[in-house]
Amino acid sequence: MSIFSERLRSLRSIRGQTQKELGKLVGKSRETICKYEIGDREPDLNALDELAKYFGVTTDYILGRTDEPAFPDKKTYKNPYNHLREFETHLKDRKFLQYIKLAVRIKDNDLDFESIEKMVNNMIKFKNKISSNSK
């Protein structure tokens, strides 16, 4: 699987969207998005540009050329999902992903970041406590 495939799947999952929903938003079919995510198909330049714009990341990030998703001029563009990078290890935990999706939906509904950050940090503490108790 390519870095592009992994990053596309991750970006879509963070937003809590289905392949069909993403496809509709960027003018592609669910099948095309699926093929991008499993690495059977690469996007053309227009599709790559649309995906990067939609997720608010650079094409270099989505292609794996850099690990910095935001545009260099942060005054021009502010990616509302950059704060999730600090929770990256927890994003890889499928059991925890549902909680991150909830936090993103709360953020999308204009709740302040401090409330979400507090909630996510409490969930991390709870998860770590459960993990240490089960050992």
Side-chain angles (χ1 to χ4, degrees):
M1 183 180 298
S2 70
I3 292 175
F4 166 75
S5 299
E6 291 174 18
R7 292 212 169 148
L8 178 61
R9 182 179 304 163
S10 176
L11 289 166
R12 181 182 59 77
S13 294
I14 288 169
R15 290 231 177 150
Q17 293 176 318
T18 65
Q19 292 173 340
K20 185 176 181 178
E21 290 168 336
L22 175 59
K24 192 179 269 189
L25 291 165
V26 296
K28 298 291 178 186
S29 68
R30 184 206 62 80
E31 292 81 11
T32 298
I33 299 297
C34 179
K35 287 181 181 184
Y36 289 165
E37 288 186 3
I38 61 174
D40 282 354
R41 185 171 180 179
E42 295 291 324
D44 61 28
L45 292 176
N46 285 339
L48 180 63
D49 187 51
E50 286 299 313
L51 289 165
K53 282 180 189 175
Y54 174 72
F55 288 114
V57 298
T58 63
T59 53
D60 281 348
Y61 173 76
I62 205 166
L63 289 173
R65 294 181 181 145
T66 180
D67 289 331
E68 180 57 47
F71 290 96
D73 181 7
K74 293 180 181 176
K75 292 179 185 174
T76 305
Y77 181 83
K78 292 185 180 180
N79 182 346
Y81 298 95
N82 277 346
H83 64 273
L84 291 177
R85 291 201 74 189
E86 63 190 75
F87 305 119
E88 189 172 356
T89 57
H90 301 287
L91 287 172
K92 294 176 183 177
D93 182 345
R94 289 194 180 272
K95 293 176 187 173
F96 192 70
L97 189 57
Q98 62 186 336
Y99 298 108
I100 296 298
K101 287 179 184 178
L102 174 62
V104 169
R105 287 188 177 153
I106 290 170
K107 178 68 175 169
D108 286 345
N109 288 309
D110 294 328
L111 293 177
D112 62 297
F113 176 70
E114 289 78 25
S115 298
I116 295 167
E117 183 177 39
K118 184 177 178 181
M119 178 183 66
V120 170
N121 285 328
N122 286 336
M123 288 187 290
I124 291 168
K125 287 177 190 174
F126 181 72
K127 177 189 171 251
N128 290 338
K129 184 178 178 181
I130 290 173
S131 295
S132 65
N133 287 342
S134 64
K135 289 181 182 179

